[in-house]
Each structure stands twice: as structure tokens, then as C-alpha cells.
Amino acid sequence: GANVATVPQGKTLKDYQEVYNDIAAKIEENLDYDGGAGFYGQLVRLAWHSSGTYDKNTKTGGSYYGTMIFYPEASDGANNGLANGRDFLYEFAVKYPWISRGDLWTLGGVVAVQESGGPKIPWRPGRVDSYEKKDIPENGNLPDASQDGKYVRNYFKRLGFGDREIVALLGAHCLGKCHPENSGYDGPWGPSFNMFTNDFFVRLLGSWHVRQWDGEKQYEDDETNSFMMLPTDIALKEESYFLKYVKLYAADQDLFFADFSKAFATLLELGIEYPRGTKPFLFKTVEEQE
Ligand code: HEM
Ligand SMILES: Cc1cnc2ccccc2c1N
């Protein structure tokens, strides 16, 4: 049957806000991780890759079963490095044995966006751990960064996203960095990678050139040579159906935040059915609770 959200007995917003606060505190204790990027990018990518395996045609994949700890998903090259995010969160799976992996990993992404200055992300619990092979998506369902805009458009069609949502979601590339040991891409080295802003779009509209180095084809900015873009990032300015939203978001951070919040919340819930009227939680940031 469908993947129906099943909330652990008696758990309410208060219980999940406690988990949120623990994750936020641990992020604060590790701000120097990864050359100053902290864990923001890592946790957002873990939430996204837990969900991005979804295929609306076969109704497989998505965040519901929390299967990334199992082969073959754990060894999909696209997931290289994400054990760091899973290991970061593991102590909370032990401390809160009632929370599922899927709920913990997607919640980690919500904490990372909100605590790095990003928009509130509506979030609903109820993902259920699976230990069955049939629930593990096959590898190859996550996107390839070396491709062009038509590829990007087609990839996200499988998840049910349109042009505007695709551009909004890619704005998460304001956080974190690339690691040659994970993906063969490298950088950026600028200080912008631990704050959730529309910086990705503002920078993208600048001028870029192909970096001369021995790694994967990637771009660096003409001005400082210290920022980077992937081919699929640059693709957003090469296709007119994407470029118009890049310009919109570069000019209006509030609009980017509103669109990102909707698209990211939808991404994290792909493939999950919620009983009618299940209201999402809106978590307070640490700052809002002081
Ligand atoms: C066309 C689709 C996409 C492609 C090809 C892509 C590709 C990549 C690659 C190659 C990396 C570097 C990984 C590493 O070397 O550690 C990366 C990092 C990242 N991606 Fe994407 N990505 C895509 C979409 C997304 C989306 C939709 C999100 C979230 C909404 C996202 C969030 C991130 C974040 C936060 C990082 C930084 C991770 C870290 O700092 O460890 N990406 N992406
Ligand atoms: C500025 C920028 C551009 N692209 C990225 C792709 C993946 C990860 C981080 C990125 C990033 N900080």
C-alpha cells in the first residue's frame, strides 16, 4: 500500500522541537567543521538525497523508509560523504528511539536551513523505518552535475517539479561546498557557505569561466577565482526558462525564501500520504526561544 505517515504514539510538536533544539545545539558546537562551512550544507544535502531518489512513475524511493544506510543506496557515488551527516545525527536516533531515520534526516535539513538564516520549512513526521530490500531504491536516481539544463529539467520532472521550483531548490547551493573526494568537484572557498541567502543567484549572474585544473569540469568566478559553480549550476543561466527565475530570486530574497520553503517541504514529503488535515509543524529557531 501507499506510504502512509504514521506518527509515533503521543509524539507532538513539543517532542520534535526538543530534537530540533538538540540538533541545532550540536551544529553550533561544530561551526568550524569542513573549513568553516559547518554542518549546514551536509545536513541539507542528506535530507535532499534521502528524498531525491523518488520516482513518481514507479512510486519508489523518497524519504519515507530511511533506506540510505542500506546497500546499494549507501554506496551510490552520489551519496559519497553523507555518512558524515548520518553519523552526526546518529546520537539523536539513540537518544530519541521513537524517531524514524527518515524523520530524523529530513528534520536535520529543516534545522540546517532555519538555523543558517533561511526560511521556515513546514515539516510533518510519520516516516517509518524499513528493513526490507524491496524498499531500497536502485542507484542512479540522483542527478549528475556534469549535465546541461535540459537534463536538469528532465531529472526533476521525475520528481514532479516545474522550472520555478527547480531554480528555487538549486538555491540551496548557497550552503556548503564540493569535496574532490566525494564528487570530484572542488570548492567554493569563499565565506558565503554557512549562511542561507540568495547569494547563489546573485553570484550566478556574474561572469564565470571554466577552471583550468585536473579535476571535473567546473567554473570559477572571473573576479576572484575563489567561488565555483557546477555545470548544472551554470545551466540555470543558459536556459531561458530557468534564467528568468534566477533573475527574480537574485533581485528578491524574500520571494526566493517563500518559493524555497514550499519546494523543499514538498521534496522532503515526496511519496508520502498524510491523513487528511494533518497540519505541518513550524519549528521555532533557537534565537526565537531565547
Ligand atoms: C541538478 C541537481 C543537483 C546536482 C547535479 C547537485 C550536485 C551537487 C554536487 C556534485 C555537490 C558536491 C558534493 C560533494 O562533493 O560533497 C553538491 C553539494 C550540495 N548540494 Fe547539490 N546538486 C543538485 C541539487 C541540489 C538540491 C535540490 C539541493 C537541496 C535542496 C542541494 C543541496 C546541496 C548542498 C547543501 C550541498 C553542499 C553539501 C556539503 O556542503 O557537504 N543540491 N550538489
Ligand atoms: C556557490 C556554490 C555553487 N555551487 C555549489 C554546488 C554544490 C555545493 C556548493 C555550491 C556552492 N557553495
Side-chain angles (χ1 to χ4, degrees):
N3 298 344
V4 177
T6 312
V7 181
Q9 189 58 35
K11 297 305 172 195
T12 66
L13 168 59
K14 186 176 147 307
D15 300 288
Y16 291 98
Q17 181 76 61
E18 192 183 331
V19 183
Y20 176 108
N21 292 346
D22 272 9
I23 295 170
K26 187 170 181 179
I27 290 174
E28 273 304 299
E29 289 154 17
N30 291 277
L31 293 177
D32 55 357
Y33 175 74
D34 202 9
F39 271 93
Y40 302 107
Q42 176 68 216
L43 293 173
V44 170
R45 187 159 202 247
L46 175 61
W48 136 236
H49 274 207
S50 310
S51 312
T53 54
Y54 183 65
D55 182 332
K56 72 176 185 184
N57 306 306
T58 58
K59 299 246 184 298
T60 56
S63 65
Y64 187 78
Y65 287 117
T67 48
M68 201 193 284
I69 54 171
F70 301 122
Y71 291 96
E73 193 178 349
S75 60
D76 187 336
N79 287 327
N80 283 352
L82 289 177
N84 296 312
R86 296 196 302 272
D87 294 351
F88 175 93
L89 291 171
Y90 181 66
E91 69 174 89
F92 307 118
V94 174
K95 181 174 178 181
Y96 302 100
W98 45 265
I99 198 166
S100 64
R101 293 189 300 270
D103 279 355
L104 182 59
W105 295 342
T106 54
L107 179 57
V110 171
V111 178
V113 170
Q114 295 194 180
E115 294 300 313
S116 59
K120 289 289 176 86
I121 310 291
W123 180 85
R124 292 185 282 191
R127 296 165 187 79
V128 176
D129 291 349
S130 168
Y131 295 85
E132 297 183 61
K133 188 139 185 54
K134 70 172 179 58
D135 295 328
I136 309 168
E138 79 272 5
N139 287 358
N141 272 10
L142 292 164
D144 169 359
S146 69
Q147 302 293 320
D148 66 6
K150 291 167 191 60
Y151 166 89
V152 172
R153 200 185 212 190
N154 190 50
Y155 168 82
F156 279 101
K157 201 189 291 286
R158 196 197 76 214
L159 277 66
F161 287 122
D163 297 338
R164 184 175 179 135
E165 295 164 303
I166 293 168
V167 177
L169 285 169
L170 261 296
H173 278 175
C174 62
L175 289 178
K177 60 196 290 285
C178 300
H179 311 80
E181 68 276 19
N182 291 347
S183 62
Y185 297 99
D186 181 35
W189 311 274
S192 70
F193 49 32
N194 59 4
M195 294 170 286
F196 197 97
T197 66
N198 66 341
D199 188 56
F200 171 78
F201 300 110
V202 174
R203 243 174 247 300
L204 187 56
L205 291 177
S207 50
W208 297 82
H209 59 272
V210 176
R211 180 182 173 191
Q212 305 309 320
W213 76 309
D214 58 357
E216 293 291 328
K217 177 185 176 186
Q218 64 178 65
Y219 295 77
E220 64 188 5
D221 64 310
D222 289 359
E223 197 186 339
T224 69
N225 289 22
S226 71
F227 291 92
M228 66 81 68
M229 288 286 171
L230 299 165
T232 43
D233 293 328
I234 295 291
L236 298 184
K237 62 191 279 189
E238 288 168 342
E239 305 294 341
S240 56
Y241 46 78
F242 287 147
L243 178 58
K244 66 182 180 189
Y245 299 116
V246 171
K247 288 178 176 171
L248 211 54
Y249 295 146
D252 186 341
Q253 178 164 282
D254 291 344
L255 183 62
F256 163 51
F257 274 26
D259 286 1
F260 180 84
S261 174
K262 284 191 205 77
F264 194 56
T266 302
L267 172 69
L268 271 36
E269 296 189 347
L270 289 177
I272 304 171
E273 266 181 44
Y274 293 85
R276 193 188 320 286
T278 309
K279 277 173 61 60
F281 294 150
L282 273 183
F283 295 107
K284 290 188 185 309
T285 60
V286 168
E287 202 178 49
E288 285 171 331
Q289 299 169 71
E290 269 153 10

